[in-house]
Amino acid sequence: MEVPVPLAETLRNARSVAVLTGSGVSAESGVPTFRDAQTGLWERYDPMDLATPEAFERDPKLVWEWYEWRRKLVGEAKPNPAHEALAEIEKRIPDFTLITQNVDGLHREAGSRNVRELHGNIRRTICSKEGIVVMPENFVEGTPPRCPKCGSFLRPDVVWFGEALPAAEISAASEAARACEIFISAGTSSVVYPAASLPYEAMENGASVIEVNPDETPLTARADFVLSGNAGDAIPEMARAAFPGMGL
Ligand code: APR
């Protein structure tokens, strides 16, 4: 894939960069995107009917078991070259923020440091009443397990449809988008808000926007640069073009 010289130079000289990633960045790690995750036993269920507070209220056992199945899928996944290249770029940019809609924890596993998880993290479990993180060794047996403090059901620490995003995460993400010189949107369909508004906030504050996606999205026409390919190829290429000699 050809990385335009101006793009490489802009990235090399940037002092502040913000990145928004979506499930497309984890696709090459074998993590199915949210909508194509349904196989086997779960084929007859629509994720939109499972990832909601109402579904958990109605059938906590079913929702818990679905997340256990997804957690297992994620547990087997490893970071791919896209995750690794983003962690390398972060080391070379004074002010770098990685904002992700993914709940698989692969960015941190690849070495990214300043990560904002807008939709939570499937590997973390919280009490459904108090919201506190509960470690597996403290689960009170059951499906779902219960909180050792108040006895309420435990749930995955992810944002369900209809729920508010973690305030600290979305405000830090918005601040990073407004302050950056370069905004990279990678592997996201750019249709789920408020995450999808971030590249426009960056644009309004004079940032150059780069999109990495094999397909078109509503952002494509507005982006300054478009790398239309898989993140696992395009992001390492972009990193090597900007920082020659980077060992990727
Ligand atoms: N590299 C880059 N992009 C890819 C790749 C790849 N290898 N494979 C697929 N894509 C692109 C698709 O073209 C699509 O535009 O990744 C995007 C995935 O879009 P979605 O499945 O809608 O995922 P995402 O944008 O992360 O969804 C946002 O909505 O599904 C809910 O809460 C869930 O966090 C998710 C949010």
Side-chain angles (χ1 to χ4, degrees):
M1 159 171 303
E2 198 47 42
V3 176
V5 169
L7 190 171
E9 279 168 4
T10 314
L11 183 54
R12 180 167 42 249
N13 303 318
R15 299 203 51 69
S16 67
V17 171
V19 183
L20 172 67
T21 64
S23 67
V25 163
S26 290
E28 291 158 86
S29 294
V31 178
T33 63
F34 190 83
R35 292 172 181 81
D36 61 27
Q38 302 308 93
T39 55
L41 164 72
W42 298 101
E43 213 150 1
R44 63 177 182 280
Y45 292 99
D46 175 355
M48 306 290 275
D49 294 339
L50 290 170
T52 67
E54 295 74 23
F56 190 67
E57 188 68 35
R58 191 175 51 243
D59 192 342
K61 182 172 179 303
L62 179 74
V63 173
W64 177 265
E65 285 175 339
W66 181 55
Y67 275 93
E68 280 299 280
W69 175 71
R70 288 184 64 204
R71 222 192 293 257
K72 194 170 151 308
L73 281 184
V74 163
E76 289 154 6
K78 289 280 158 270
N80 68 58
H83 296 106
E84 285 153 3
L86 288 168
E88 283 305 312
I89 294 172
E90 178 175 17
K91 293 175 191 163
R92 294 162 176 79
I93 302 285
D95 176 10
F96 184 97
T97 305
L98 198 150
I99 305 153
T100 188
Q101 301 170 92
N102 300 337
V103 296
D104 54 35
L106 290 177
H107 284 300
R108 282 217 176 85
E109 198 175 319
S112 288
R113 308 279 298 270
N114 188 15
V115 179
R116 294 292 175 173
E117 296 175 318
L118 295 186
H119 294 168
N121 186 318
I122 201 169
R123 300 176 193 218
R124 259 194 324 265
T125 300
I126 54 174
C127 168
S128 58
K129 185 157 165 280
E130 304 156 306
I132 49 163
V133 173
V134 181
M135 301 309 286
E137 57 270 23
N138 300 325
F139 288 3
V140 171
E141 214 36 47
T143 311
R146 290 180 178 275
C147 171
K149 268 183 64 190
C150 74
S152 306
F153 282 136
L154 299 184
R155 58 167 280 183
D157 186 14
V158 297
V159 177
W160 280 334
F161 289 100
E163 289 186 320
L165 271 63
E169 302 300 287
I170 190 67
S171 61
S174 185
E175 201 180 308
R178 285 199 303 274
C180 70
E181 295 160 51
I182 293 183
F183 189 96
I184 301 172
S185 174
T188 177
S189 55
S190 256
V191 292
V192 175
Y193 284 76
S197 63
L198 293 169
Y200 301 104
E201 286 186 52
M203 240 177 258
E204 278 152 31
N205 286 278
S208 300
V209 172
I210 302 166
E211 182 178 52
V212 179
N213 196 317
D215 302 335
E216 294 228 337
T217 74
L219 179 66
T220 309
R222 303 283 307 277
D224 297 285
F225 298 101
V226 177
L227 299 179
S228 38
N230 287 338
D233 305 320
I235 299 179
E237 290 277 347
M238 178 171 61
R240 280 193 293 269
F243 306 103
M246 177 191 273
L248 274 176

